[in-house]
mmCIF file with all atom_site columns, all heavy atoms in Angstrom:
data_model
loop_
_atom_site.group_PDB
_atom_site.id
_atom_site.type_symbol
_atom_site.label_atom_id
_atom_site.label_alt_id
_atom_site.label_comp_id
_atom_site.label_asym_id
_atom_site.label_entity_id
_atom_site.label_seq_id
_atom_site.pdbx_PDB_ins_code
_atom_site.Cartn_x
_atom_site.Cartn_y
_atom_site.Cartn_z
_atom_site.occupancy
_atom_site.B_iso_or_equiv
_atom_site.pdbx_formal_charge
_atom_site.auth_seq_id
_atom_site.auth_comp_id
_atom_site.auth_asym_id
_atom_site.auth_atom_id
_atom_site.pdbx_PDB_model_num
ATOM 1   N N   . ASN R 1 132 ? -1.803 22.113 3.749  1.00 98.00 ? 132 ASN R N   1
ATOM 2   C CA  . ASN R 1 132 ? -1.672 23.117 2.691  1.00 98.00 ? 132 ASN R CA  1
ATOM 3   C C   . ASN R 1 132 ? -1.428 22.426 1.349  1.00 98.00 ? 132 ASN R C   1
ATOM 4   O O   . ASN R 1 132 ? -1.377 21.198 1.254  1.00 98.00 ? 132 ASN R O   1
ATOM 5   C CB  . ASN R 1 132 ? -0.542 24.107 3.035  1.00 98.00 ? 132 ASN R CB  1
ATOM 6   C CG  . ASN R 1 132 ? 0.768  23.376 3.278  1.00 98.00 ? 132 ASN R CG  1
ATOM 7   O OD1 . ASN R 1 132 ? 1.100  22.431 2.557  1.00 98.00 ? 132 ASN R OD1 1
ATOM 8   N ND2 . ASN R 1 132 ? 1.504  23.791 4.294  1.00 98.00 ? 132 ASN R ND2 1
ATOM 9   N N   . GLU R 1 133 ? -1.238 23.246 0.322  1.00 98.00 ? 133 GLU R N   1
ATOM 10  C CA  . GLU R 1 133 ? -1.088 22.704 -1.028 1.00 98.00 ? 133 GLU R CA  1
ATOM 11  C C   . GLU R 1 133 ? 0.185  21.864 -1.151 1.00 98.00 ? 133 GLU R C   1
ATOM 12  O O   . GLU R 1 133 ? 0.229  20.904 -1.912 1.00 98.00 ? 133 GLU R O   1
ATOM 13  C CB  . GLU R 1 133 ? -1.070 23.862 -2.019 1.00 98.00 ? 133 GLU R CB  1
ATOM 14  C CG  . GLU R 1 133 ? -1.548 23.461 -3.394 1.00 98.00 ? 133 GLU R CG  1
ATOM 15  C CD  . GLU R 1 133 ? -1.445 24.603 -4.389 1.00 98.00 ? 133 GLU R CD  1
ATOM 16  O OE1 . GLU R 1 133 ? -1.568 25.773 -3.971 1.00 98.00 ? 133 GLU R OE1 1
ATOM 17  O OE2 . GLU R 1 133 ? -1.213 24.300 -5.572 1.00 98.00 ? 133 GLU R OE2 1
ATOM 18  N N   . GLU R 1 134 ? 1.205  22.227 -0.388 1.00 98.00 ? 134 GLU R N   1
ATOM 19  C CA  . GLU R 1 134 ? 2.456  21.448 -0.442 1.00 98.00 ? 134 GLU R CA  1
ATOM 20  C C   . GLU R 1 134 ? 2.239  20.031 0.084  1.00 98.00 ? 134 GLU R C   1
ATOM 21  O O   . GLU R 1 134 ? 2.795  19.070 -0.447 1.00 98.00 ? 134 GLU R O   1
ATOM 22  C CB  . GLU R 1 134 ? 3.551  22.150 0.366  1.00 98.00 ? 134 GLU R CB  1
ATOM 23  C CG  . GLU R 1 134 ? 4.055  23.403 -0.309 1.00 98.00 ? 134 GLU R CG  1
ATOM 24  C CD  . GLU R 1 134 ? 5.245  23.992 0.423  1.00 98.00 ? 134 GLU R CD  1
ATOM 25  O OE1 . GLU R 1 134 ? 5.387  23.736 1.635  1.00 98.00 ? 134 GLU R OE1 1
ATOM 26  O OE2 . GLU R 1 134 ? 6.022  24.701 -0.225 1.00 98.00 ? 134 GLU R OE2 1
ATOM 27  N N   . ASP R 1 135 ? 1.433  19.915 1.158  1.00 98.00 ? 135 ASP R N   1
ATOM 28  C CA  . ASP R 1 135 ? 1.098  18.568 1.651  1.00 98.00 ? 135 ASP R CA  1
ATOM 29  C C   . ASP R 1 135 ? 0.386  17.793 0.551  1.00 98.00 ? 135 ASP R C   1
ATOM 30  O O   . ASP R 1 135 ? 0.690  16.624 0.302  1.00 98.00 ? 135 ASP R O   1
ATOM 31  C CB  . ASP R 1 135 ? 0.148  18.637 2.866  1.00 98.00 ? 135 ASP R CB  1
ATOM 32  C CG  . ASP R 1 135 ? 0.782  19.269 4.079  1.00 98.00 ? 135 ASP R CG  1
ATOM 33  O OD1 . ASP R 1 135 ? 1.748  18.694 4.596  1.00 98.00 ? 135 ASP R OD1 1
ATOM 34  O OD2 . ASP R 1 135 ? 0.315  20.329 4.519  1.00 98.00 ? 135 ASP R OD2 1
ATOM 35  N N   . GLU R 1 136 ? -0.576 18.456 -0.083 1.00 98.00 ? 136 GLU R N   1
ATOM 36  C CA  . GLU R 1 136 ? -1.359 17.777 -1.131 1.00 98.00 ? 136 GLU R CA  1
ATOM 37  C C   . GLU R 1 136 ? -0.444 17.290 -2.255 1.00 98.00 ? 136 GLU R C   1
ATOM 38  O O   . GLU R 1 136 ? -0.546 16.142 -2.690 1.00 98.00 ? 136 GLU R O   1
ATOM 39  C CB  . GLU R 1 136 ? -2.415 18.721 -1.717 1.00 98.00 ? 136 GLU R CB  1
ATOM 40  C CG  . GLU R 1 136 ? -3.537 19.028 -0.749 1.00 98.00 ? 136 GLU R CG  1
ATOM 41  C CD  . GLU R 1 136 ? -4.603 19.908 -1.383 1.00 98.00 ? 136 GLU R CD  1
ATOM 42  O OE1 . GLU R 1 136 ? -5.011 19.644 -2.521 1.00 98.00 ? 136 GLU R OE1 1
ATOM 43  O OE2 . GLU R 1 136 ? -5.010 20.888 -0.733 1.00 98.00 ? 136 GLU R OE2 1
ATOM 44  N N   . ILE R 1 137 ? 0.452  18.164 -2.723 1.00 98.00 ? 137 ILE R N   1
ATOM 45  C CA  . ILE R 1 137 ? 1.321  17.809 -3.852 1.00 98.00 ? 137 ILE R CA  1
ATOM 46  C C   . ILE R 1 137 ? 2.226  16.631 -3.476 1.00 98.00 ? 137 ILE R C   1
ATOM 47  O O   . ILE R 1 137 ? 2.389  15.674 -4.237 1.00 98.00 ? 137 ILE R O   1
ATOM 48  C CB  . ILE R 1 137 ? 2.144  19.040 -4.299 1.00 98.00 ? 137 ILE R CB  1
ATOM 49  C CG1 . ILE R 1 137 ? 1.211  20.073 -4.944 1.00 98.00 ? 137 ILE R CG1 1
ATOM 50  C CG2 . ILE R 1 137 ? 3.266  18.648 -5.259 1.00 98.00 ? 137 ILE R CG2 1
ATOM 51  C CD1 . ILE R 1 137 ? 1.826  21.447 -5.146 1.00 98.00 ? 137 ILE R CD1 1
ATOM 52  N N   . ALA R 1 138 ? 2.786  16.685 -2.262 1.00 98.00 ? 138 ALA R N   1
ATOM 53  C CA  . ALA R 1 138 ? 3.683  15.605 -1.820 1.00 98.00 ? 138 ALA R CA  1
ATOM 54  C C   . ALA R 1 138 ? 2.921  14.284 -1.719 1.00 98.00 ? 138 ALA R C   1
ATOM 55  O O   . ALA R 1 138 ? 3.391  13.229 -2.177 1.00 98.00 ? 138 ALA R O   1
ATOM 56  C CB  . ALA R 1 138 ? 4.295  15.968 -0.466 1.00 98.00 ? 138 ALA R CB  1
ATOM 57  N N   . LEU R 1 139 ? 1.731  14.345 -1.133 1.00 98.00 ? 139 LEU R N   1
ATOM 58  C CA  . LEU R 1 139 ? 0.974  13.098 -0.929 1.00 98.00 ? 139 LEU R CA  1
ATOM 59  C C   . LEU R 1 139 ? 0.413  12.556 -2.230 1.00 98.00 ? 139 LEU R C   1
ATOM 60  O O   . LEU R 1 139 ? 0.275  11.339 -2.385 1.00 98.00 ? 139 LEU R O   1
ATOM 61  C CB  . LEU R 1 139 ? -0.106 13.322 0.131  1.00 98.00 ? 139 LEU R CB  1
ATOM 62  C CG  . LEU R 1 139 ? 0.550  13.459 1.517  1.00 98.00 ? 139 LEU R CG  1
ATOM 63  C CD1 . LEU R 1 139 ? -0.289 14.282 2.456  1.00 98.00 ? 139 LEU R CD1 1
ATOM 64  C CD2 . LEU R 1 139 ? 0.850  12.086 2.113  1.00 98.00 ? 139 LEU R CD2 1
ATOM 65  N N   . ILE R 1 140 ? 0.127  13.440 -3.190 1.00 98.00 ? 140 ILE R N   1
ATOM 66  C CA  . ILE R 1 140 ? -0.328 12.959 -4.502 1.00 98.00 ? 140 ILE R CA  1
ATOM 67  C C   . ILE R 1 140 ? 0.801  12.153 -5.155 1.00 98.00 ? 140 ILE R C   1
ATOM 68  O O   . ILE R 1 140 ? 0.552  11.097 -5.737 1.00 98.00 ? 140 ILE R O   1
ATOM 69  C CB  . ILE R 1 140 ? -0.775 14.135 -5.404 1.00 98.00 ? 140 ILE R CB  1
ATOM 70  C CG1 . ILE R 1 140 ? -2.119 14.692 -4.913 1.00 98.00 ? 140 ILE R CG1 1
ATOM 71  C CG2 . ILE R 1 140 ? -0.894 13.685 -6.866 1.00 98.00 ? 140 ILE R CG2 1
ATOM 72  C CD1 . ILE R 1 140 ? -2.528 16.019 -5.550 1.00 98.00 ? 140 ILE R CD1 1
ATOM 73  N N   . SER R 1 141 ? 2.029  12.617 -5.056 1.00 98.00 ? 141 SER R N   1
ATOM 74  C CA  . SER R 1 141 ? 3.093  11.840 -5.723 1.00 98.00 ? 141 SER R CA  1
ATOM 75  C C   . SER R 1 141 ? 3.317  10.504 -5.024 1.00 98.00 ? 141 SER R C   1
ATOM 76  O O   . SER R 1 141 ? 3.591  9.491  -5.677 1.00 98.00 ? 141 SER R O   1
ATOM 77  C CB  . SER R 1 141 ? 4.379  12.639 -5.918 1.00 98.00 ? 141 SER R CB  1
ATOM 78  O OG  . SER R 1 141 ? 4.877  13.030 -4.704 1.00 98.00 ? 141 SER R OG  1
ATOM 79  N N   . ILE R 1 142 ? 3.152  10.461 -3.703 1.00 98.00 ? 142 ILE R N   1
ATOM 80  C CA  . ILE R 1 142 ? 3.261  9.172  -2.993 1.00 98.00 ? 142 ILE R CA  1
ATOM 81  C C   . ILE R 1 142 ? 2.093  8.256  -3.387 1.00 98.00 ? 142 ILE R C   1
ATOM 82  O O   . ILE R 1 142 ? 2.286  7.068  -3.683 1.00 98.00 ? 142 ILE R O   1
ATOM 83  C CB  . ILE R 1 142 ? 3.289  9.401  -1.462 1.00 98.00 ? 142 ILE R CB  1
ATOM 84  C CG1 . ILE R 1 142 ? 4.566  10.152 -1.069 1.00 98.00 ? 142 ILE R CG1 1
ATOM 85  C CG2 . ILE R 1 142 ? 3.180  8.074  -0.708 1.00 98.00 ? 142 ILE R CG2 1
ATOM 86  C CD1 . ILE R 1 142 ? 4.578  10.666 0.363  1.00 98.00 ? 142 ILE R CD1 1
ATOM 87  N N   . ALA R 1 143 ? 0.889  8.830  -3.440 1.00 98.00 ? 143 ALA R N   1
ATOM 88  C CA  . ALA R 1 143 ? -0.294 8.028  -3.801 1.00 98.00 ? 143 ALA R CA  1
ATOM 89  C C   . ALA R 1 143 ? -0.159 7.476  -5.221 1.00 98.00 ? 143 ALA R C   1
ATOM 90  O O   . ALA R 1 143 ? -0.504 6.315  -5.482 1.00 98.00 ? 143 ALA R O   1
ATOM 91  C CB  . ALA R 1 143 ? -1.557 8.879  -3.677 1.00 98.00 ? 143 ALA R CB  1
ATOM 92  N N   . ASP R 1 144 ? 0.351  8.296  -6.137 1.00 98.00 ? 144 ASP R N   1
ATOM 93  C CA  . ASP R 1 144 ? 0.519  7.830  -7.526 1.00 98.00 ? 144 ASP R CA  1
ATOM 94  C C   . ASP R 1 144 ? 1.501  6.665  -7.584 1.00 98.00 ? 144 ASP R C   1
ATOM 95  O O   . ASP R 1 144 ? 1.335  5.731  -8.363 1.00 98.00 ? 144 ASP R O   1
ATOM 96  C CB  . ASP R 1 144 ? 1.008  8.973  -8.420 1.00 98.00 ? 144 ASP R CB  1
ATOM 97  C CG  . ASP R 1 144 ? -0.083 10.004 -8.693 1.00 98.00 ? 144 ASP R CG  1
ATOM 98  O OD1 . ASP R 1 144 ? -1.253 9.752  -8.351 1.00 98.00 ? 144 ASP R OD1 1
ATOM 99  O OD2 . ASP R 1 144 ? 0.247  11.075 -9.248 1.00 98.00 ? 144 ASP R OD2 1
ATOM 100 N N   . LYS R 1 145 ? 2.530  6.735  -6.742 1.00 98.00 ? 145 LYS R N   1
ATOM 101 C CA  . LYS R 1 145 ? 3.526  5.656  -6.724 1.00 98.00 ? 145 LYS R CA  1
ATOM 102 C C   . LYS R 1 145 ? 2.908  4.366  -6.166 1.00 98.00 ? 145 LYS R C   1
ATOM 103 O O   . LYS R 1 145 ? 3.167  3.273  -6.669 1.00 98.00 ? 145 LYS R O   1
ATOM 104 C CB  . LYS R 1 145 ? 4.728  6.095  -5.880 1.00 98.00 ? 145 LYS R CB  1
ATOM 105 C CG  . LYS R 1 145 ? 5.934  5.235  -6.019 1.00 98.00 ? 145 LYS R CG  1
ATOM 106 C CD  . LYS R 1 145 ? 6.554  5.390  -7.392 1.00 98.00 ? 145 LYS R CD  1
ATOM 107 C CE  . LYS R 1 145 ? 7.626  4.379  -7.624 1.00 98.00 ? 145 LYS R CE  1
ATOM 108 N NZ  . LYS R 1 145 ? 8.013  4.316  -9.047 1.00 98.00 ? 145 LYS R NZ  1
ATOM 109 N N   . LEU R 1 146 ? 2.089  4.509  -5.125 1.00 98.00 ? 146 LEU R N   1
ATOM 110 C CA  . LEU R 1 146 ? 1.400  3.338  -4.570 1.00 98.00 ? 146 LEU R CA  1
ATOM 111 C C   . LEU R 1 146 ? 0.466  2.726  -5.614 1.00 98.00 ? 146 LEU R C   1
ATOM 112 O O   . LEU R 1 146 ? 0.341  1.500  -5.712 1.00 98.00 ? 146 LEU R O   1
ATOM 113 C CB  . LEU R 1 146 ? 0.603  3.732  -3.316 1.00 98.00 ? 146 LEU R CB  1
ATOM 114 C CG  . LEU R 1 146 ? 1.433  4.180  -2.116 1.00 98.00 ? 146 LEU R CG  1
ATOM 115 C CD1 . LEU R 1 146 ? 0.524  4.723  -1.006 1.00 98.00 ? 146 LEU R CD1 1
ATOM 116 C CD2 . LEU R 1 146 ? 2.289  3.023  -1.572 1.00 98.00 ? 146 LEU R CD2 1
ATOM 117 N N   . ALA R 1 147 ? -0.168 3.590  -6.408 1.00 98.00 ? 147 ALA R N   1
ATOM 118 C CA  . ALA R 1 147 ? -1.094 3.098  -7.447 1.00 98.00 ? 147 ALA R CA  1
ATOM 119 C C   . ALA R 1 147 ? -0.358 2.236  -8.469 1.00 98.00 ? 147 ALA R C   1
ATOM 120 O O   . ALA R 1 147 ? -0.925 1.267  -8.988 1.00 98.00 ? 147 ALA R O   1
ATOM 121 C CB  . ALA R 1 147 ? -1.790 4.272  -8.129 1.00 98.00 ? 147 ALA R CB  1
#
Side-chain angles (χ1 to χ4, degrees):
N132 56 41
E133 206 183 330
E134 288 187 336
D135 294 296
E136 290 183 45
I137 291 167
L139 289 153
I140 287 169
S141 61
I142 294 169
D144 287 350
K145 193 69 189 167
L146 294 172

